[in-house]
Amino acid sequence: QFFRRWWLFALPLVLIAFVGVYVASGVTGDFVSRGRLSASANPLVEQPEVRGADIGAFETPAAGTARLINEQLRTDSFLDVVAARSGLSELIESGVLERAVIRNQVFAFADGENILTVQASWGDSTTAFQLVESTIAAYLDYVSEVVTTDADEAADFYASRKLDAEEVFASANSELQDYIDD
């Protein structure tokens, strides 16, 4: 029976092959852009503590930094900065482009112990490059803003403590002068 009607078994196979070729011919490839960062610290300078950028005890510096970048990409405020630097903010505001599309196209991963890679894929090579570049720049700006804000708050705190200490010193000094005069 099989050898008399072999074309009945071959017909679905040929149809599926043609449909597969047709669908595959319509798929356009995305351009992929990658940027690499070094997450290693300078051994001659103590690593500053950055609030919100804690790397776990069992994470490599690259894996921890990649995790932090991916966490920031999940926030709307950080993603809006990346989109604005990439020239996509008008598309998001008009509703043509969803934030979730950008989130699905940009991510960071560890590429060794101290090297991490930020990767973006997009239909346009320039936009893919700009997404990677703006993600890296936005993360570096975020870290420097956190460090600067914390340093300014610490300086203000110690300046207020200095004024309190000067008042205590002036009061104690006047009491000492009164005691010496007596």
Side-chain angles (χ1 to χ4, degrees), residues 55-89:
I55 295 176
F58 298 108
E59 280 183 313
T60 63
T65 305
R67 177 182 53 81
L68 294 171
I69 290 173
N70 289 330
E71 286 175 0
Q72 287 300 313
L73 283 169
R74 283 185 247 150
T75 64
D76 286 346
S77 61
F78 186 80
L79 195 65
D80 288 343
V81 171
V82 171
R85 288 182 177 199
S86 301
L88 300 174
S89 61

Side-chain angles (χ1 to χ4, degrees), residues 79 83 88 91-93 95-105 122:
L79 195 65
L88 300 174
L91 295 174
I92 290 175
E93 290 171 4
V96 174
L97 181 65
E98 299 276 332
R99 287 183 180 98
V101 173
I102 298 174
R103 282 190 182 104
N104 290 335
Q105 301 299 322
W122 204 263

Side-chain angles (χ1 to χ4, degrees), residues 41-153:
N42 186 345
L44 303 175
V45 180
E46 184 178 335
Q47 185 71 15
E49 291 290 326
V50 179
R51 173 181 43 87
D54 298 328
I55 295 176
F58 298 108
E59 280 183 313
T60 63
T65 305
R67 177 182 53 81
L68 294 171
I69 290 173
N70 289 330
E71 286 175 0
Q72 287 300 313
L73 283 169
R74 283 185 247 150
T75 64
D76 286 346
S77 61
F78 186 80
L79 195 65
D80 288 343
V81 171
V82 171
R85 288 182 177 199
S86 301
L88 300 174
S89 61
E90 293 175 3
L91 295 174
I92 290 175
E93 290 171 4
S94 66
V96 174
L97 181 65
E98 299 276 332
R99 287 183 180 98
V101 173
I102 298 174
R103 282 190 182 104
N104 290 335
Q105 301 299 322
V106 181
F107 61 94
F109 60 93
D111 203 12
E113 187 171 330
N114 292 318
I115 303 294
L116 68 114
T117 300
V118 176
Q119 179 175 317
S121 58
W122 204 263
D124 175 25
S125 62
T126 305
T127 306
F129 172 75
Q130 289 173 342
L131 281 170
V132 169
E133 184 180 37
S134 62
T135 301
I136 293 170
Y139 181 73
L140 294 176
D141 288 349
Y142 166 75
V143 170
S144 65
E145 179 184 335
V146 168
V147 169
T148 303
T149 302
D150 289 350
D152 289 344
E153 288 174 1

